[in-house]
Amino acid sequence: EHLSGTLSSKAERAHSTMMNADMDAVEAENQVELEEKTRLINQVLELQHTLEDLSARVDAVKEENLKLKSENQVLGQYIENLMSASSVFQTTDTKSKRK
């Protein structure tokens, strides 16, 4: 009976050790998964911030583009007015009549 009790006790300890090892393995696997999830979440957040920055930059460039287009129209009109007011750019009929 003593031998049976000793074997039973050893079996229980071995079983307990195996259970602890299994639990440690599961815990280690969970820790790896948690670290991977944390890494992915941080990566997603970084990409979101990058996207926000790029979107803001696109908006700023669009605004600058509209401003420059408007300025170009004003300058174009100004140059056109100068050219029409200048005799250098006028086509005169007197030269063609002389020929």
Side-chain angles (χ1 to χ4, degrees), residues 53-70:
D53 292 345
L54 288 172
S55 182
R57 178 71 180 127
V58 166
D59 290 343
V61 169
K62 281 182 179 179
E63 191 174 316
E64 181 69 14
N65 187 35
L66 287 173
K67 182 178 157 189
L68 290 173
K69 277 184 179 179
S70 175

Side-chain angles (χ1 to χ4, degrees), residues 1-90:
E1 191 175 305
H2 177 67
L3 180 62
S4 157
T6 304
L7 287 176
S8 172
S9 168
K10 284 184 180 181
E12 286 174 11
R13 280 196 304 263
H15 180 70
S16 175
T17 302
M18 286 174 34
M19 289 288 288
N20 286 340
D22 287 346
M23 288 176 69
D24 288 345
V26 168
E27 190 175 311
E29 190 176 318
N30 287 343
Q31 184 64 29
V32 168
E33 286 180 15
L34 181 62
E35 288 171 3
E36 179 68 7
K37 284 180 183 178
T38 302
R39 188 186 68 77
L40 289 172
I41 287 170
N42 288 334
Q43 192 175 14
V44 165
L45 290 173
E46 185 179 334
L47 289 171
Q48 282 179 337
H49 290 128
T50 301
L51 180 60
E52 288 170 0
D53 292 345
L54 288 172
S55 182
R57 178 71 180 127
V58 166
D59 290 343
V61 169
K62 281 182 179 179
E63 191 174 316
E64 181 69 14
N65 187 35
L66 287 173
K67 182 178 157 189
L68 290 173
K69 277 184 179 179
S70 175
E71 289 175 5
N72 281 345
Q73 285 177 336
V74 169
L75 288 172
Q77 188 62 48
Y78 177 72
I79 291 169
E80 196 176 300
N81 291 343
L82 285 176
M83 288 173 63
S84 66
S86 171
S87 61
V88 174
F89 296 104
Q90 295 294 321

